[in-house]
Amino acid sequence: MNTLQISLISLLVVAFVIYRQLRTRPAAGAATLYVAGAMVLVGLVTGGLFDTAHLALSLALFLVEAGAAVALGVWRARTVRVWLDSSGVAWSKATGWTILAWLASAATRAGLYFAGTAVGLTASTSSVLLFLGLTVGIQAYLVARRGRALSSTGARPDTFVG
């Protein structure tokens, strides 16, 4: 895949994920995890994750990007509202804070991209897919886990979990 194709796919996937998060939906859904897994897999197999001319620096930036992806996914997951309905089904919906966290995620990813190019690393679009897959996957996993935990505790219906 070329840079334009990967960029467009990434933007479409993020727009779709955010759109779905803004809708009320069951918290235990696994579809987003499959999409995130596919993004990570494509990011890994397309290659170019590391600049072989600056391997140590490239590896360090990769580790920072992976850590940021995980941390931002955790943060966004905490901003999603999770509750039980009257029948005991866990539901989730993004909040305004989730949108703000998405904007911070985009700014962080852009900042890391520009930091890498500023120090002379060759940019890779596969790292964008890997970053998005990790951050979306972590968020989806944690929201689903909160939904399962709420369902299994026998909490009274319409209970809200931050």
Side-chain angles (χ1 to χ4, degrees), residues 14 17-18 21 64-65 67-77 79 97-113 128 131-132 134-136 138-139:
V14 169
V17 167
I18 292 171
Q21 289 177 6
V64 169
E65 287 178 347
V70 169
L72 290 162
V74 169
W75 178 32
R76 283 193 321 276
T79 67
W97 291 110
T98 311
I99 301 302
L100 180 65
W102 268 111
L103 292 172
S105 296
T108 300
R109 178 63 187 111
L112 290 170
Y113 172 83
V128 173
F131 180 92
L132 288 173
L134 279 174
T135 197
V136 167
I138 290 294
Q139 179 184 355

Side-chain angles (χ1 to χ4, degrees), residues 80-95:
V80 174
R81 181 175 180 241
V82 178
W83 71 96
L84 286 179
D85 68 7
S86 58
S87 64
V89 175
W91 294 87
S92 68
K93 184 175 182 179
T95 65

Side-chain angles (χ1 to χ4, degrees), residues 10-80:
S10 299
L11 285 174
L12 288 173
V13 168
V14 169
F16 180 69
V17 167
I18 292 171
Y19 168 79
R20 284 185 40 108
Q21 289 177 6
L22 290 170
R23 301 276 184 217
T24 300
R25 60 194 182 102
T32 305
L33 287 172
Y34 293 126
V35 171
M39 290 175 74
V40 168
L41 184 63
V42 170
L44 289 172
V45 299
T46 54
L49 288 175
F50 303 106
D51 183 347
T52 54
H54 307 94
L55 193 55
L57 187 58
S58 182
L59 180 60
L61 183 62
F62 173 80
L63 292 173
V64 169
E65 287 178 347
V70 169
L72 290 162
V74 169
W75 178 32
R76 283 193 321 276
R78 293 294 305 149
T79 67
V80 174

Side-chain angles (χ1 to χ4, degrees), residues 2 9 16 35-37 39 41 43 84 100 105 114 119 121 137 147 151-152 155 158 162:
N2 69 31
I9 289 170
F16 180 69
V35 171
M39 290 175 74
L41 184 63
L84 286 179
L100 180 65
S105 296
F114 289 121
V119 296
L121 294 177
S151 297
S152 68
D158 298 318

